[in-house]
Amino acid sequence: MITAVFDTKPYDREALQSVPGSAGLEWRFLEFRLTKDTAPTARGAQAVCVFVNDQVDRPCLEALAAQGVKLVALRCTGFNNVDLAAAKELGLTVTRVPVYSPYAVAEHVLALLLTLNRKVHRAYNRVRELNFSINGLVGFDMRGKTAGIVGTGKIGRIVAEILRGFGMKVLAFDPVPNRDWAAEHGVEYVDSRTLAGASDVISLHVPLTPETKHLIRRETIELMKPGTILINVSRGALIDTTALIEALKLGKLGGVALDVYEEEEGIFFEDLSGQVLQDDELARLLTFPNVLITSHQAFLTREALGDIARTTVANLAALAAGQPFVEGSVLT
Ligand code: NAD
């Protein structure tokens, strides 16, 4: 059975091919993203394997279904880039990786937060230039400060627990609160406005849906204390970038760490060094000394890649053998 793997990076190829049981599968590794225009390159494949920035919209799904593809296997958790209603109508199965090391993503939040707070990104550059001045690098003790966790699913809960370990007070907001967990870890659920106004650090851990799009916009930023640090490792469109830039220019925010960006498609994951960056908002964000951007790498640990590859291969093998898919992974 042939699987067309779109947006393949060297680490995807290595992880997928090293799963025991993957030897029986035939891979067609493609470096470009899946769109309606590139869908014909899946011809002859029974499955396509896609990632976060492939555009799996209705025209793309129609093209895949027309050439006999049966399965769209997402090698990620979020599925906001797939038109599930269209897939269902077309009789295509869509699977995702429901769980992979949430520690990978949660620990990246800490990497970003500590870097931003203690200005390690600036210190690193200074010392390389033999500038040993520490002026302007003042941070704050995390102990005793308040963190607000928006979304206490798998990742948000781990971030909260780690921050409790730093001696922070942790507030949380989630429409489906997990009260037993909160009691066990000394986390307090509050409404979203209280969280916005009381937190020194706010970290977003919600899926991108029509309801959560621009969860952080001008009105929500206005509720925040001056100097708040905002972290987004979930999905770029949770934040209204224009409003974020406006707040940064006014000096309202203490710092912003982003592993995801609203318009990241076609930019993140690519080596564009030597080219002219065409995205003016991203270019502006990169000029702020208190903005730290990584290129959607929160998931990038050996453990997470192994988990992702094992679930993906298990679902492909299940399709080939006519067996049930991995529990919890089927979206349509
Ligand atoms: P999860 O499904 O376990 O948890 C999501 C939580 O968000 C749930 O508890 C849900 O009730 C809550 N929620 C939904 N709408 C909300 C709202 N409006 N306000 C507050 N809470 C709300 O998901 P997870 O595994 O913790 O992952 C969270 C997100 O992280 C994913 O949806 C994905 O977009 C992102 N992610 C990013 C990376 C990366 O590499 N940067 C990797 C994995 C996941």
Side-chain angles (χ1 to χ4, degrees), residues 121-293:
H121 55 308
R122 301 184 61 203
Y124 175 79
N125 285 330
R126 280 191 195 184
V127 170
R128 285 173 67 86
E129 293 286 321
L130 306 187
N131 174 357
F132 297 101
S133 159
I134 59 170
N135 292 334
L137 302 185
V138 181
F140 60 80
D141 284 10
M142 306 245 291
R143 186 178 180 79
K145 299 294 185 302
T146 301
I149 304 298
V150 184
T152 51
K154 292 176 286 299
I155 297 167
R157 287 201 304 276
I158 296 167
V159 174
E161 290 169 27
I162 297 172
L163 295 178
R164 287 290 293 145
F166 274 85
M168 295 186 86
K169 175 176 177 178
V170 177
L171 305 177
F173 170 71
D174 195 307
V176 190
N178 186 333
R179 303 221 179 262
D180 290 344
W181 164 80
E184 187 185 338
H185 293 279
V187 172
E188 188 187 340
Y189 277 107
V190 293
D191 63 80
S192 56
R193 292 177 73 87
T194 304
L195 182 146
S199 303
D200 300 292
V201 174
I202 296 177
S203 194
L204 308 178
H205 299 287
V206 302
L208 176 62
T209 63
E211 293 74 45
T212 60
K213 183 168 185 210
H214 290 183
L215 188 71
I216 304 295
R217 51 187 182 276
R218 187 186 290 171
E219 305 92 86
T220 27
I221 296 173
E222 275 167 7
L223 295 172
M224 295 177 195
K225 295 199 280 194
T228 299
I229 287 187
L230 177 65
I231 301 172
N232 184 13
V233 301
S234 288
R235 283 292 181 271
L238 295 177
I239 299 182
D240 176 348
T241 310
T242 309
L244 184 72
I245 291 173
E246 192 181 277
L248 280 160
K249 283 168 78 175
L250 292 169
K252 241 197 98 42
L253 292 162
V256 175
L258 306 174
D259 186 52
V260 286
Y261 168 60
E262 214 174 345
E263 302 297 333
E264 69 179 51
E265 190 192 324
I267 301 177
F268 281 19
F269 307 114
E270 307 303 330
D271 179 0
L272 302 183
S273 54
Q275 294 191 31
V276 175
L277 182 60
Q278 296 298 329
D279 185 315
D280 290 354
E281 291 206 311
L282 180 57
R284 185 66 178 101
L285 282 173
L286 289 168
T287 66
F288 294 103
N290 57 345
V291 172
L292 183 60
I293 298 178

